[in-house]
Amino acid sequence: MSQILIAGASGLIGRELLRQLDPAHSLTLLCRQAGDPRPQHHWLPVDFEQLAELSLPDPVDIAFCCLGTTRKQAGSDEAFRRVDHDYVLAFAALARRHGCQRLIVVSSLGANPHSPALYPRTKGQMELALLTQAWPRLAIVRPAMLLGNRQPPRLSEQCFQAFYPLLRPLLVGKLRRWRAIDASQVAHAMIVLSQQEGGVEVVENERLQGM
């Protein structure tokens, strides 16, 4: 049995992780508001601004970070960066303080620390910060647009999913990397990556599609 720490468990990928992880594992789920209680799920309401002061009751074996928002949901560039950059790094530091050796983080296709656009630049800077740390096992996954039933729904994703069956046949060759991926497939890939031997890697969407 592993002690697993998850941030973003109520999101699209996070909910799939909860569904797919072996029920024998003990899960500590950082959240703003507790979710459905289950014997192996310990929902731990926290202030993500105060993760540096948080102490967990048990050591951590594996950490999954599924934190992420949008500029619109966050309300400002600064608030978006707080979630997608600062909170991710604070979560990684929390896990490491509690003995974690394996960290799996959701980023995004196109992440680039030098991009002029806020979203890919923030994701790229988050990745760069993690890659400079000495993790025995670190996997950063870069999915394309996610398919699945997000709660609450995002209008842009709903529109995309409606038209995606018409678009998919056009995404061939170099465009294949932009094919949408089901959240359940990303979660499965993250679990597989967490079980592999040590090393640091960035896993692109094409590889996630085949795992």
Side-chain angles (χ1 to χ4, degrees), residues 128-187:
L128 192 61
L130 289 177
L131 291 169
T132 62
Q133 300 174 6
W135 280 95
R137 176 58 172 155
L138 170 64
I140 298 172
V141 301
R142 290 179 169 178
M145 181 68 78
L146 296 174
L147 301 175
N149 183 25
R150 189 187 296 275
Q151 295 298 326
R154 294 178 182 173
L155 181 59
S156 60
E157 289 185 354
Q158 289 180 310
C159 293
F160 177 82
Q161 291 192 52
F163 287 100
Y164 182 66
L166 300 176
L167 178 63
R168 190 180 189 280
L170 303 177
L171 299 177
V172 296
K174 292 183 178 180
L175 296 178
R176 187 181 182 89
R177 67 192 296 260
W178 294 97
R179 285 188 175 180
I181 184 169
D182 197 286
S184 63
Q185 197 167 6
V186 179

Side-chain angles (χ1 to χ4, degrees), residues 85-155:
H85 181 278
D86 299 353
Y87 289 177
V88 174
L89 299 185
F91 173 80
L94 171 67
R96 198 62 185 274
R97 289 200 309 273
H98 289 80
C100 184
Q101 301 291 301
R102 295 170 177 262
L103 174 65
I104 316 298
V105 178
V106 177
S107 181
S108 174
L109 177 66
N112 180 352
H114 307 295
S115 173
L118 175 67
Y119 187 85
R121 182 175 69 250
T122 302
K123 293 292 190 183
Q125 291 172 350
M126 174 271 290
E127 290 185 4
L128 192 61
L130 289 177
L131 291 169
T132 62
Q133 300 174 6
W135 280 95
R137 176 58 172 155
L138 170 64
I140 298 172
V141 301
R142 290 179 169 178
M145 181 68 78
L146 296 174
L147 301 175
N149 183 25
R150 189 187 296 275
Q151 295 298 326
R154 294 178 182 173
L155 181 59

Side-chain angles (χ1 to χ4, degrees), residues 182-198:
D182 197 286
S184 63
Q185 197 167 6
V186 179
H188 172 74
M190 293 175 71
I191 294 170
V192 171
L193 291 165
S194 74
Q195 296 168 347
Q196 294 177 349
E197 293 304 315

Side-chain angles (χ1 to χ4, degrees), residues 27 33 35 60 64-65 73 85 94 110 116 136 150 152 154 184 196 206:
L27 309 183
Q33 200 169 19
V60 177
F64 293 100
C65 186
Q73 286 181 317
H85 181 278
L94 171 67
R150 189 187 296 275
R154 294 178 182 173
S184 63
Q196 294 177 349
E206 299 98 315

